[in-house]
Every structure is written in C-alpha cells, then in structure tokens.
Amino acid sequence: MKRSKQIQGHPYIEYTKPHYSEEEMKSRSQAFYEWLDTRRTVRDFSDKPVPKEVIDNILLASSTAPSGAHKQPWTFCVVQSAEMKKQIREAAEKEEYESYHSRMSEEWLKDLQPLGTDWHKPFLEIAPYLIIVFKRAYELDEKGEKKNNYYVSESVGLASGLLLAAIHQAGLVALTHTPSPMNFLSKLLNRPENERPFLLIPVGYPAEETFVPDLKRKSLEEIAVYY
C-alpha cells in the first residue's frame, strides 16, 4: 500500500518508479526512438472500423499529459457520424480553398509542394474517427463565473503529442490538420464559449496502398545544444 502524507494541508501519495541499469536505459531509449521514428503523417485512410474502446484508451493516455496547475485544459471531441464528418469536410475545404488561393504566401506554398497537399480533404470523410482537440481558455463555475487556466496552449500541445504517440502505439495512423481559421468547428460541434479549436485529427487504419513523402528528420546536432 502506498504511503500518503499532508504537505501544506494537501494530500500527497508516495511515488515510485523502476530504476534501470545504464545499459538497459540506453537500450530502452534507443528502441523507443526507433519505434517512434516509424510514425508518419498519413493522408490515405481506410474506412475500416476501429473499436471505440481503442479510442477511449488513446484519449485517456493523452490526458495523462502535464498541465499548468493540473487544470487539464482540453476537451477531445470525437466525431464518427458520417453526416457530421461531411459537414466538417465541406467547411474545412472552404477555408482551405481560400488559404491556398489567397491567404498563403508563395514561399509557404513552395514549402508545401514536397508534401503534395492541396485544399481537397477527402480523409475527413473516409477516416472512421475525427478527434478535434479543443483548448479550454478558462473554466466556468456553477455560477457562470470565469476561472483561470494556465499555460493553456503549452498544456494542450503536450496532450496532443501524447495523443499522436498513443495513436501510433495502437497501430493506427493520424494526420494533424489545421484548417485556418477553425471557428467553424466550434459552431458545428456546438462547443461552449470557453473552448477554442486546436487540432483536427483524422484517426484510423492506413489505406491498403499508402505512400508518404520521402522525408528526413533533422539530426541530433541540428535539434539539440548541450551546455
């Protein structure tokens, strides 16, 4: 049984974690990196059903992320209704068309060319689930009064990273879609005023034949500076 104690009047429970030898730490960290390095953004989805329990577990894993003052300022809206997915696709493509034809700079469009993207988003209807991540700018108590959340974008970003890792671990694929602006998601899903759309993530199995850009990730020397 874990021990507990009061610290400044608040309950704390004992925390323990296994320790590994240096060699095992190296092996485990290398294996985890190599496995996670196989994760790729996919735009070709299968419509094969995914058990709801898998999505439930993925969301629970995501919600283990740290957050400012442990406020957990996120809401995951899961869409599986064909009609709602159709409405989301139509609204997203409308915004994406405007972006590709008038909002994006020439440099931005040039940077996107190797990825083969355009304003057409069929995956929004094909993928069995759409997970829309909302960030909660503040909370509303029973009286409707605002209560602060802290480091909201940072917290939701951390949860989203764990979400992608959990999707990968379950053997599924995902795409981080960010149509801009995303206000249409709040309206279509009838979300409260304290929530802001953060990411739109189709989730499912990859299509039977799937290709992804032959990209290379930055090396350790390019991403890390040791002092």
Side-chain angles (χ1 to χ4, degrees):
M1 181 179 294
K2 290 186 177 182
R3 295 181 300 170
S4 62
K5 64 186 297 186
Q6 293 281 323
I7 298 180
Q8 296 181 346
H10 298 283
Y12 277 62
I13 57 173
E14 184 179 23
Y15 175 73
T16 58
K17 185 173 177 58
H19 292 278
Y20 306 112
S21 67
E22 288 190 5
E23 286 306 311
E24 188 170 358
M25 283 195 294
K26 293 176 185 177
S27 175
R28 290 171 66 91
S29 60
Q30 178 71 22
F32 184 71
Y33 156 63
E34 290 177 355
W35 168 78
L36 203 54
D37 193 38
T38 64
R39 188 205 61 79
R40 291 300 302 267
T41 291
V42 165
R43 290 176 171 80
D44 299 315
F45 285 83
S46 165
D47 61 0
K48 180 181 176 181
V50 174
K52 177 181 176 295
E53 290 79 7
V54 174
I55 302 300
D56 291 344
N57 289 333
I58 286 169
L59 298 180
L60 288 170
S62 176
S63 203
T64 66
S67 60
H70 194 55
K71 291 288 189 173
Q72 303 174 86
W74 46 69
T75 299
F76 303 104
C77 293
V78 184
V79 176
Q80 50 186 328
S81 159
E83 178 57 33
M84 180 59 70
K85 287 193 289 185
K86 179 181 179 182
Q87 292 181 42
I88 289 174
R89 177 186 177 181
E90 290 175 350
E93 286 187 334
K94 180 179 179 181
E95 296 296 348
E96 290 289 89
Y97 182 88
E98 291 298 324
S99 292
Y100 275 86
H101 288 83
S102 61
R103 295 171 181 158
M104 292 179 177
S105 66
E106 288 300 319
E107 181 181 8
W108 191 349
L109 292 170
K110 184 177 179 180
D111 285 339
L112 288 174
Q113 283 181 357
L115 305 179
T117 64
D118 59 28
W119 64 273
H120 297 92
K121 308 297 176 185
F123 48 77
L124 293 176
E125 285 193 85
I126 297 172
Y129 289 99
L130 303 180
I131 298 177
I132 298 91
V133 183
F134 282 85
K135 60 181 183 181
R136 303 170 68 94
Y138 53 88
E139 300 298 328
L140 293 170
D141 64 15
E142 300 81 7
K143 298 179 181 179
E145 295 180 356
K146 293 182 179 181
K147 300 295 182 181
N148 288 335
N149 284 331
Y150 310 99
Y151 299 106
V152 173
S153 293
E154 294 86 346
S155 300
V156 178
L158 289 166
S160 298
L162 289 187
L163 178 65
L164 295 176
I167 290 168
H168 183 57
Q169 196 275 339
L172 302 173
V173 294
L175 166 71
T176 49
H177 184 38
T178 53
S180 180
M182 291 196 285
N183 297 335
F184 67 89
L185 291 168
S186 299
K187 296 177 181 177
L188 286 175
L189 299 174
N190 195 30
R191 300 313 304 162
E193 64 181 24
N194 64 318
E195 294 186 358
R196 312 281 187 271
F198 188 77
L199 282 174
L200 169 54
I201 306 178
V203 178
Y205 295 99
E208 188 171 336
E209 192 173 67
T210 298
F211 292 88
V212 296
D214 185 13
L215 303 177
K216 299 294 185 289
R217 293 187 167 98
K218 291 182 177 181
S219 67
L220 179 63
E221 290 72 23
E222 293 174 294
I223 64 168
V225 180
Y226 282 78
Y227 291 88

